[in-house]
Amino acid sequence: MRPGAAVVLASASLLVLAPGAPPTAAPPLPVRMADTGGGSQLITAQAPRAEATSGTVTWWNLRDGTWTKAGSAPARFGANGLVEGASRRQSTNTTPTGLYDLPYAFGVRKAPSGTKAVYRPVRQNSWWCQDNGSRSYNRWTEPRPADCRAAESERLISYPRQYAHAYVIGFNYARPVRERGAGIFLHVNGRGATAGCVSVSAEAMRAILTWADPGRRPHIAIGTESGATAVVRY
């Protein structure tokens, strides 16, 4: 053993045994994402795995180059879990993963005080057309057009609990692809898993609406903790 080696080894042992500094915290989720939509507000809806029906929704602010958490709440997803949005099929009870804009909000109840987003009140003749044969596919209609079958649509006022307050998720919205899916929202919890939407508590939904500022271009990223549908991919 060369001179001084014992001292070096002893020092190394002390370093191993001595209490170390706390592990470095992982960067905030938006920092690890491939894209956040280009704005300074972001909602992440993350499930532990693709088969999960529950997870977490978190809303974030970007200020001075740093993403900080503004709020967080338990969330529910589709009864059949989450699937890649680009390959999703309608009526599969799956939540589409991806990064989407938030065109506008709506609700059976009045907008929470402080809401800045465009907010449409739900009326008796407010429908969301999900009929693949209709020219109004994946659109709000008042009244329901003749080419949009009621059996293939949602009369929004029929869901006073879930749609007390809601945000339209821009999945398949700008250029709708037939059979991919319609009526995907961020809304208030119902009795259990959703038919493909993301849902949170009524309190969390109100908080999100009063937080969101269209001038800051909020988006929502939906995904899993890892794998092909990991939220960081979007």
Side-chain angles (χ1 to χ4, degrees), residues 119-137:
Y119 191 91
R120 299 188 69 167
V122 173
R123 310 179 196 279
Q124 291 293 330
N125 62 345
S126 300
W127 291 76
W128 197 274
C129 183
Q130 300 179 8
D131 189 335
N132 284 280
S134 174
R135 290 172 294 178
S136 300
Y137 178 66

PDB file of all heavy atoms in Angstrom, residues 119-137:
ATOM      1  N   TYR A 119     -66.578  32.214 -21.088  1.00  0.00           N
ATOM      2  CA  TYR A 119     -67.399  31.268 -20.322  1.00  0.00           C
ATOM      3  C   TYR A 119     -68.811  31.255 -20.892  1.00  0.00           C
ATOM      4  O   TYR A 119     -69.508  32.272 -20.877  1.00  0.00           O
ATOM      5  CB  TYR A 119     -67.421  31.686 -18.846  1.00  0.00           C
ATOM      6  CG  TYR A 119     -68.010  30.658 -17.912  1.00  0.00           C
ATOM      7  CD1 TYR A 119     -67.200  29.696 -17.310  1.00  0.00           C
ATOM      8  CD2 TYR A 119     -69.373  30.652 -17.608  1.00  0.00           C
ATOM      9  CE1 TYR A 119     -67.739  28.759 -16.427  1.00  0.00           C
ATOM     10  CE2 TYR A 119     -69.910  29.721 -16.728  1.00  0.00           C
ATOM     11  CZ  TYR A 119     -69.088  28.777 -16.145  1.00  0.00           C
ATOM     12  OH  TYR A 119     -69.620  27.853 -15.279  1.00  0.00           O
ATOM     13  N   ARG A 120     -69.226  30.086 -21.390  1.00  0.00           N
ATOM     14  CA  ARG A 120     -70.550  29.954 -22.001  1.00  0.00           C
ATOM     15  C   ARG A 120     -71.535  29.354 -20.998  1.00  0.00           C
ATOM     16  O   ARG A 120     -71.274  28.282 -20.442  1.00  0.00           O
ATOM     17  CB  ARG A 120     -70.487  29.062 -23.245  1.00  0.00           C
ATOM     18  CG  ARG A 120     -69.579  29.581 -24.341  1.00  0.00           C
ATOM     19  CD  ARG A 120     -69.697  28.780 -25.613  1.00  0.00           C
ATOM     20  NE  ARG A 120     -70.988  28.974 -26.265  1.00  0.00           N
ATOM     21  CZ  ARG A 120     -71.265  28.599 -27.513  1.00  0.00           C
ATOM     22  NH1 ARG A 120     -70.339  27.982 -28.236  1.00  0.00           N
ATOM     23  NH2 ARG A 120     -72.452  28.805 -28.026  1.00  0.00           N
ATOM     24  N   PRO A 121     -72.642  30.013 -20.774  1.00  0.00           N
ATOM     25  CA  PRO A 121     -73.647  29.441 -19.874  1.00  0.00           C
ATOM     26  C   PRO A 121     -74.403  28.304 -20.557  1.00  0.00           C
ATOM     27  O   PRO A 121     -74.785  28.412 -21.732  1.00  0.00           O
ATOM     28  CB  PRO A 121     -74.565  30.626 -19.580  1.00  0.00           C
ATOM     29  CG  PRO A 121     -74.443  31.506 -20.778  1.00  0.00           C
ATOM     30  CD  PRO A 121     -73.034  31.361 -21.259  1.00  0.00           C
ATOM     31  N   VAL A 122     -74.612  27.219 -19.845  1.00  0.00           N
ATOM     32  CA  VAL A 122     -75.374  26.091 -20.377  1.00  0.00           C
ATOM     33  C   VAL A 122     -76.861  26.416 -20.277  1.00  0.00           C
ATOM     34  O   VAL A 122     -77.361  26.791 -19.217  1.00  0.00           O
ATOM     35  CB  VAL A 122     -75.055  24.798 -19.601  1.00  0.00           C
ATOM     36  CG1 VAL A 122     -75.982  23.662 -20.033  1.00  0.00           C
ATOM     37  CG2 VAL A 122     -73.599  24.409 -19.807  1.00  0.00           C
ATOM     38  N   ARG A 123     -77.570  26.270 -21.388  1.00  0.00           N
ATOM     39  CA  ARG A 123     -79.009  26.545 -21.438  1.00  0.00           C
ATOM     40  C   ARG A 123     -79.756  25.242 -21.726  1.00  0.00           C
ATOM     41  O   ARG A 123     -79.156  24.181 -21.957  1.00  0.00           O
ATOM     42  CB  ARG A 123     -79.303  27.589 -22.518  1.00  0.00           C
ATOM     43  CG  ARG A 123     -78.426  28.836 -22.422  1.00  0.00           C
ATOM     44  CD  ARG A 123     -78.774  29.810 -23.552  1.00  0.00           C
ATOM     45  NE  ARG A 123     -77.732  30.821 -23.734  1.00  0.00           N
ATOM     46  CZ  ARG A 123     -77.605  31.915 -22.996  1.00  0.00           C
ATOM     47  NH1 ARG A 123     -78.427  32.148 -22.011  1.00  0.00           N
ATOM     48  NH2 ARG A 123     -76.629  32.786 -23.250  1.00  0.00           N
ATOM     49  N   GLN A 124     -81.070  25.336 -21.734  1.00  0.00           N
ATOM     50  CA  GLN A 124     -81.904  24.160 -21.977  1.00  0.00           C
ATOM     51  C   GLN A 124     -81.613  23.520 -23.331  1.00  0.00           C
ATOM     52  O   GLN A 124     -81.721  22.295 -23.490  1.00  0.00           O
ATOM     53  CB  GLN A 124     -83.389  24.541 -21.882  1.00  0.00           C
ATOM     54  CG  GLN A 124     -83.861  24.891 -20.481  1.00  0.00           C
ATOM     55  CD  GLN A 124     -83.851  23.696 -19.538  1.00  0.00           C
ATOM     56  OE1 GLN A 124     -84.034  22.553 -19.960  1.00  0.00           O
ATOM     57  NE2 GLN A 124     -83.628  23.963 -18.255  1.00  0.00           N
ATOM     58  N   ASN A 125     -81.222  24.332 -24.312  1.00  0.00           N
ATOM     59  CA  ASN A 125     -81.012  23.785 -25.658  1.00  0.00           C
ATOM     60  C   ASN A 125     -79.533  23.719 -26.030  1.00  0.00           C
ATOM     61  O   ASN A 125     -79.167  23.728 -27.215  1.00  0.00           O
ATOM     62  CB  ASN A 125     -81.777  24.610 -26.700  1.00  0.00           C
ATOM     63  CG  ASN A 125     -81.293  26.053 -26.770  1.00  0.00           C
ATOM     64  OD1 ASN A 125     -80.597  26.525 -25.869  1.00  0.00           O
ATOM     65  ND2 ASN A 125     -81.669  26.766 -27.829  1.00  0.00           N
ATOM     66  N   SER A 126     -78.649  23.643 -25.013  1.00  0.00           N
ATOM     67  CA  SER A 126     -77.209  23.527 -25.268  1.00  0.00           C
ATOM     68  C   SER A 126     -76.830  22.050 -25.421  1.00  0.00           C
ATOM     69  O   SER A 126     -77.085  21.248 -24.522  1.00  0.00           O
ATOM     70  CB  SER A 126     -76.414  24.142 -24.113  1.00  0.00           C
ATOM     71  OG  SER A 126     -76.728  25.507 -23.938  1.00  0.00           O
ATOM     72  N   TRP A 127     -76.216  21.729 -26.535  1.00  0.00           N
ATOM     73  CA  TRP A 127     -75.813  20.355 -26.831  1.00  0.00           C
ATOM     74  C   TRP A 127     -74.344  20.321 -27.250  1.00  0.00           C
ATOM     75  O   TRP A 127     -73.819  21.300 -27.763  1.00  0.00           O
ATOM     76  CB  TRP A 127     -76.645  19.765 -27.970  1.00  0.00           C
ATOM     77  CG  TRP A 127     -78.078  19.514 -27.636  1.00  0.00           C
ATOM     78  CD1 TRP A 127     -79.080  20.437 -27.532  1.00  0.00           C
ATOM     79  CD2 TRP A 127     -78.690  18.248 -27.378  1.00  0.00           C
ATOM     80  NE1 TRP A 127     -80.266  19.832 -27.214  1.00  0.00           N
ATOM     81  CE2 TRP A 127     -80.065  18.490 -27.123  1.00  0.00           C
ATOM     82  CE3 TRP A 127     -78.219  16.935 -27.345  1.00  0.00           C
ATOM     83  CZ2 TRP A 127     -80.957  17.451 -26.839  1.00  0.00           C
ATOM     84  CZ3 TRP A 127     -79.107  15.911 -27.061  1.00  0.00           C
ATOM     85  CH2 TRP A 127     -80.458  16.175 -26.807  1.00  0.00           C
ATOM     86  N   TRP A 128     -73.723  19.161 -27.039  1.00  0.00           N
ATOM     87  CA  TRP A 128     -72.410  18.913 -27.631  1.00  0.00           C
ATOM     88  C   TRP A 128     -72.579  17.758 -28.610  1.00  0.00           C
ATOM     89  O   TRP A 128     -72.906  16.645 -28.229  1.00  0.00           O
ATOM     90  CB  TRP A 128     -71.356  18.550 -26.587  1.00  0.00           C
ATOM     91  CG  TRP A 128     -69.973  18.714 -27.169  1.00  0.00           C
ATOM     92  CD1 TRP A 128     -69.275  17.784 -27.900  1.00  0.00           C
ATOM     93  CD2 TRP A 128     -69.158  19.879 -27.114  1.00  0.00           C
ATOM     94  NE1 TRP A 128     -68.067  18.297 -28.301  1.00  0.00           N
ATOM     95  CE2 TRP A 128     -67.970  19.583 -27.826  1.00  0.00           C
ATOM     96  CE3 TRP A 128     -69.302  21.131 -26.538  1.00  0.00           C
ATOM     97  CZ2 TRP A 128     -66.936  20.518 -27.968  1.00  0.00           C
ATOM     98  CZ3 TRP A 128     -68.273  22.059 -26.677  1.00  0.00           C
ATOM     99  CH2 TRP A 128     -67.103  21.743 -27.383  1.00  0.00           C
ATOM    100  N   CYS A 129     -72.391  18.070 -29.885  1.00  0.00           N
ATOM    101  CA  CYS A 129     -72.642  17.079 -30.934  1.00  0.00           C
ATOM    102  C   CYS A 129     -71.487  16.084 -31.036  1.00  0.00           C
ATOM    103  O   CYS A 129     -70.337  16.471 -31.230  1.00  0.00           O
ATOM    104  CB  CYS A 129     -72.850  17.776 -32.277  1.00  0.00           C
ATOM    105  SG  CYS A 129     -73.240  16.630 -33.610  1.00  0.00           S
ATOM    106  N   GLN A 130     -71.827  14.798 -30.932  1.00  0.00           N
ATOM    107  CA  GLN A 130     -70.835  13.734 -31.055  1.00  0.00           C
ATOM    108  C   GLN A 130     -71.184  12.771 -32.194  1.00  0.00           C
ATOM    109  O   GLN A 130     -70.616  11.677 -32.294  1.00  0.00           O
ATOM    110  CB  GLN A 130     -70.729  12.985 -29.729  1.00  0.00           C
ATOM    111  CG  GLN A 130     -70.305  13.884 -28.580  1.00  0.00           C
ATOM    112  CD  GLN A 130     -70.213  13.169 -27.249  1.00  0.00           C
ATOM    113  OE1 GLN A 130     -70.318  11.947 -27.179  1.00  0.00           O
ATOM    114  NE2 GLN A 130     -70.010  13.921 -26.183  1.00  0.00           N
ATOM    115  N   ASP A 131     -72.112  13.197 -33.038  1.00  0.00           N
ATOM    116  CA  ASP A 131     -72.562  12.389 -34.172  1.00  0.00           C
ATOM    117  C   ASP A 131     -71.554  12.509 -35.308  1.00  0.00           C
ATOM    118  O   ASP A 131     -71.355  13.597 -35.872  1.00  0.00           O
ATOM    119  CB  ASP A 131     -73.945  12.874 -34.623  1.00  0.00           C
ATOM    120  CG  ASP A 131     -74.570  11.956 -35.657  1.00  0.00           C
ATOM    121  OD1 ASP A 131     -73.837  11.251 -36.373  1.00  0.00           O
ATOM    122  OD2 ASP A 131     -75.814  11.963 -35.755  1.00  0.00           O
ATOM    123  N   ASN A 132     -70.904  11.402 -35.660  1.00  0.00           N
ATOM    124  CA  ASN A 132     -69.880  11.426 -36.700  1.00  0.00           C
ATOM    125  C   ASN A 132     -70.411  11.842 -38.065  1.00  0.00           C
ATOM    126  O   ASN A 132     -69.645  12.270 -38.928  1.00  0.00           O
ATOM    127  CB  ASN A 132     -69.209  10.047 -36.807  1.00  0.00           C
ATOM    128  CG  ASN A 132     -68.233   9.800 -35.681  1.00  0.00           C
ATOM    129  OD1 ASN A 132     -67.108  10.272 -35.707  1.00  0.00           O
ATOM    130  ND2 ASN A 132     -68.674   9.063 -34.664  1.00  0.00           N
ATOM    131  N   GLY A 133     -71.710  11.727 -38.267  1.00  0.00           N
ATOM    132  CA  GLY A 133     -72.285  12.107 -39.555  1.00  0.00           C
ATOM    133  C   GLY A 133     -72.710  13.558 -39.630  1.00  0.00           C
ATOM    134  O   GLY A 133     -73.184  14.005 -40.683  1.00  0.00           O
ATOM    135  N   SER A 134     -72.535  14.296 -38.559  1.00  0.00           N
ATOM    136  CA  SER A 134     -73.009  15.680 -38.519  1.00  0.00           C
ATOM    137  C   SER A 134     -71.919  16.675 -38.914  1.00  0.00           C
ATOM    138  O   SER A 134     -70.738  16.477 -38.624  1.00  0.00           O
ATOM    139  CB  SER A 134     -73.515  16.021 -37.115  1.00  0.00           C
ATOM    140  OG  SER A 134     -73.840  17.395 -37.019  1.00  0.00           O
ATOM    141  N   ARG A 135     -72.345  17.762 -39.531  1.00  0.00           N
ATOM    142  CA  ARG A 135     -71.415  18.851 -39.847  1.00  0.00           C
ATOM    143  C   ARG A 135     -70.974  19.564 -38.574  1.00  0.00           C
ATOM    144  O   ARG A 135     -69.997  20.316 -38.588  1.00  0.00           O
ATOM    145  CB  ARG A 135     -72.085  19.858 -40.795  1.00  0.00           C
ATOM    146  CG  ARG A 135     -72.301  19.320 -42.213  1.00  0.00           C
ATOM    147  CD  ARG A 135     -73.136  20.277 -43.027  1.00  0.00           C
ATOM    148  NE  ARG A 135     -74.506  20.379 -42.495  1.00  0.00           N
ATOM    149  CZ  ARG A 135     -75.446  21.179 -42.991  1.00  0.00           C
ATOM    150  NH1 ARG A 135     -75.154  21.975 -44.017  1.00  0.00           N
ATOM    151  NH2 ARG A 135     -76.652  21.199 -42.471  1.00  0.00           N
ATOM    152  N   SER A 136     -71.672  19.324 -37.466  1.00  0.00           N
ATOM    153  CA  SER A 136     -71.348  19.959 -36.190  1.00  0.00           C
ATOM    154  C   SER A 136     -70.595  19.026 -35.254  1.00  0.00           C
ATOM    155  O   SER A 136     -70.567  19.247 -34.043  1.00  0.00           O
ATOM    156  CB  SER A 136     -72.639  20.428 -35.505  1.00  0.00           C
ATOM    157  OG  SER A 136     -73.319  21.359 -36.302  1.00  0.00           O
ATOM    158  N   TYR A 137     -69.983  18.002 -35.812  1.00  0.00           N
ATOM    159  CA  TYR A 137     -69.251  17.019 -34.998  1.00  0.00           C
ATOM    160  C   TYR A 137     -68.220  17.700 -34.103  1.00  0.00           C
ATOM    161  O   TYR A 137     -67.439  18.534 -34.538  1.00  0.00           O
ATOM    162  CB  TYR A 137     -68.558  16.012 -35.908  1.00  0.00           C
ATOM    163  CG  TYR A 137     -67.736  14.971 -35.182  1.00  0.00           C
ATOM    164  CD1 TYR A 137     -68.332  14.025 -34.365  1.00  0.00           C
ATOM    165  CD2 TYR A 137     -66.345  14.946 -35.326  1.00  0.00           C
ATOM    166  CE1 TYR A 137     -67.574  13.061 -33.701  1.00  0.00           C
ATOM    167  CE2 TYR A 137     -65.577  13.982 -34.678  1.00  0.00           C
ATOM    168  CZ  TYR A 137     -66.205  13.052 -33.867  1.00  0.00           C
ATOM    169  OH  TYR A 137     -65.447  12.102 -33.211  1.00  0.00           O
TER     170      TYR A 137
END
